[in-house]
Amino acid sequence: MRTWSGWRRFILSFFLLLVIFHIFSVLELHSNSVTEAPQKNRNKKSDHLVLGPAAGQGLPDRLQCEGSKALNKTHLLDSSSGSNVGDNVAFVTVFTIYNTSLDSLPNDRSSNFVTVGNVSYSKTERSMAILNVFINFIQVTMPQSNVIILTDPASDLLLQRDKVTLYPIQGEYSREKLMLQRIRSYINFLDTKLKELAKNPVHKSHYIFTDSDIAVVDDLGRIFHEYRNFHIALTFRNNKEQPLNSGFIAVRGTAESILRAKIFLQHVLEVYTSKYMNASRMLGDQLALAWVIRSHPGFDLSRFRKAQAFMDEMGGASVLFLPCATYNWTPPEGAGQFHGMPLDVKVVHFKGSRKRLMLESWNFFRSASDISDMLCLILMSGRTKYDF
């Protein structure tokens, strides 16, 4: 009996040791997971380009790359004989500067700076760098075009560039209302141009309204020659909730087109303010655009599934729908299905945290002087989240 009692005590002691060991192991695992999680979150975005394989290899009508060297060339036009000869094309964007004094605050100053190449930027400086690169690409691919910057009259925006005009428009330019103000500024600008055209009908210009984080990589003046009957052009994608992107809107420079475009955008603004004010900081304008298009009787939504341009009549306006794949192409961010870059791409849109990629691309282009090679750099970098 004593022997059996000794074995029972041994077995119980061994079992308790196993339980205690298991508890400590679980606690250690939990501790490690808690300390590692923030590190993982901090590393979500990269502070430098991370190159990977170029998507779309072997697919027809897609850019093929070997490293950062293009094996086939995109369908680029010679800007010296481009289609905008004889037609003035102006790019119009909304841009303002926020809280410039914050860059000089001593607290946590290092977190406000980012280095791209050999240059360090404050938040204000990197916003200005993006704007300047936006202008640079236009002046390379469409050197005859003007750039018009719609801005807050109270903004500290100082910019002196050839063929660039600052155009102050009174309004509410807070971050929460900027997308709303953008549509209002477009309407105000079109109204002013309509009045100017009435006084001087000979001086005509087409207008392309864009975000300032795009790179124009081909002559867009050809839109107004290839599609001669549209009043306003929008870009679309195969996206059920947000099929239209407001980062690219083209308006023909005739009095009728400007008037039709103004009325169309006024309708979008009415829908925006009545239905989507909860999304006034972001996406409200795109949701309003989609609502206006969907609500039009007989509109065939299935046409958004194919990346082919088409036209439709919308409340008296002839609307040209252009595929984002060509006129508003965006590098993918993070994982996801991706079929590469179309050879006829004309606009690259560096949305969200892709801004670093825009600056890096311009730096690469300055050294390589080849747009197709630069597009390979973008294509190979498109799956990474960058720092701003």
Side-chain angles (χ1 to χ4, degrees):
M1 292 294 295
R2 289 179 182 175
T3 304
W4 175 245
S5 298
W7 273 106
R8 288 183 64 183
R9 283 196 299 270
F10 174 78
I11 292 171
L12 286 173
S13 299
F14 182 74
F15 178 74
L16 286 172
L17 285 172
L18 285 176
V19 171
I20 292 170
F21 177 78
H22 177 71
I23 291 172
F24 274 106
S25 298
V26 171
L27 288 174
E28 184 179 4
L29 179 62
H30 176 70
S31 175
N32 289 339
S33 65
V34 169
T35 56
E36 289 174 4
Q39 182 69 29
K40 186 177 181 181
N41 289 335
R42 282 198 298 271
N43 291 336
K44 255 187 177 180
K45 292 184 179 181
S46 175
D47 62 354
H48 60 281
L49 290 186
V50 179
L51 302 181
Q57 184 176 356
L59 294 178
D61 207 28
R62 290 294 188 270
L63 183 64
Q64 304 296 309
C65 304
E66 187 174 276
S68 58
K69 190 70 177 176
L71 299 179
N72 53 357
K73 299 294 182 180
T74 52
H75 302 163
L76 304 177
L77 291 180
D78 180 1
S79 59
S80 64
S81 61
S83 59
N84 64 345
V85 175
D87 280 352
N88 293 319
V89 178
F91 287 84
V92 185
T93 191
V94 172
F95 185 90
T96 191
I97 293 292
Y98 296 103
N99 300 326
T100 55
S101 61
L102 290 180
D103 288 339
S104 60
L105 292 178
N107 294 334
D108 200 21
R109 184 176 173 85
S110 61
S111 66
N112 290 329
F113 279 77
V114 65
T115 300
V116 179
N118 297 320
V119 182
S120 292
Y121 300 98
S122 68
K123 288 184 178 180
T124 299
E125 289 167 345
R126 67 196 187 196
S127 295
M128 289 301 301
I130 291 295
L131 179 64
N132 275 292
V133 168
F134 163 73
I135 296 167
N136 292 344
F137 275 116
I138 291 171
Q139 292 185 342
V140 166
T141 54
M142 298 180 65
Q144 303 304 315
S145 295
N146 299 308
V147 177
I148 301 170
I149 302 172
L150 312 183
T151 189
D152 185 354
S155 173
D156 295 330
L157 182 59
L158 297 175
L159 186 69
Q160 293 184 336
R161 298 280 305 266
D162 290 340
K163 304 182 79 64
V164 176
T165 304
L166 298 182
Y167 194 105
I169 295 178
Q170 200 69 42
E172 188 175 359
Y173 289 83
S174 65
R175 292 188 186 277
E176 288 68 27
K177 299 290 180 65
L178 186 58
M179 293 299 98
L180 191 65
Q181 179 59 42
R182 181 169 71 170
I183 296 183
R184 287 174 173 156
S185 294
Y186 288 175
I187 294 170
N188 183 303
F189 177 82
L190 289 173
D191 185 57
T192 301
K193 293 304 170 184
L194 193 60
K195 293 173 183 176
E196 291 177 359
L197 202 57
K199 295 178 182 178
N200 185 8
V202 176
H203 186 69
K204 184 178 73 172
S205 177
H206 305 304
Y207 300 103
I208 301 177
F209 298 84
T210 74
D211 291 346
S212 58
D213 55 357
I214 71 162
V216 177
V217 296
D218 199 358
D219 181 9
L220 295 174
R222 60 198 292 186
I223 296 173
F224 303 98
H225 288 257
E226 291 182 8
Y227 309 97
R228 293 183 175 273
N229 298 319
F230 77 90
H231 297 133
I232 184 172
L234 306 172
T235 55
F236 72 91
R237 59 204 170 192
N238 186 19
N239 184 308
K240 186 176 180 180
E241 299 301 323
Q242 298 169 35
L244 300 166
N245 183 272
S246 58
F248 183 103
I249 300 174
V251 176
R252 186 175 296 279
T254 64
E256 182 184 5
S257 295
I258 293 174
L259 176 61
R260 296 295 182 186
K262 174 190 165 186
I263 294 171
F264 179 87
L265 291 177
Q266 284 174 329
H267 187 194
V268 173
L269 180 62
E270 290 169 3
V271 173
Y272 196 159
T273 54
S274 62
K275 295 180 180 294
Y276 299 109
M277 283 303 291
N278 61 333
S280 60
R281 184 183 175 99
M282 278 189 70
L283 303 180
D285 53 345
Q286 299 189 96
L287 296 171
L289 267 173
W291 191 94
V292 168
I293 299 303
R294 286 184 179 128
S295 64
H296 190 268
F299 185 80
D300 184 4
L301 291 171
S302 66
R303 284 185 287 185
F304 287 153
R305 296 174 189 166
K306 296 182 179 180
Q308 297 175 356
F310 65 93
M311 287 185 62
D312 208 329
E313 294 292 320
M314 298 279 168
S318 295
V319 181
L320 171 64
F321 293 90
L322 297 168
C324 283
T326 299
Y327 295 93
N328 205 338
W329 187 85
T330 301
E333 190 178 55
Q337 189 177 21
F338 181 38
H339 298 299
M341 181 185 292
L343 277 175
D344 60 351
V345 66
K346 303 185 188 312
V347 175
V348 178
H349 195 166
F350 297 90
K351 302 175 190 172
S353 65
R354 302 166 180 86
K355 305 294 187 293
R356 165 181 286 277
L357 183 54
M358 183 175 180
L359 297 183
E360 297 272 16
S361 300
W362 173 253
N363 290 341
F364 180 84
F365 174 72
R366 283 197 305 174
S367 63
S369 299
D370 190 300
I371 284 184
S372 293
D373 288 351
M374 181 201 70
L375 293 176
C376 278
L377 179 77
I378 295 172
L379 187 59
M380 295 170 64
S381 309
R383 289 176 177 266
T384 303
K385 289 179 178 290
Y386 299 113
D387 61 345
F388 67 97

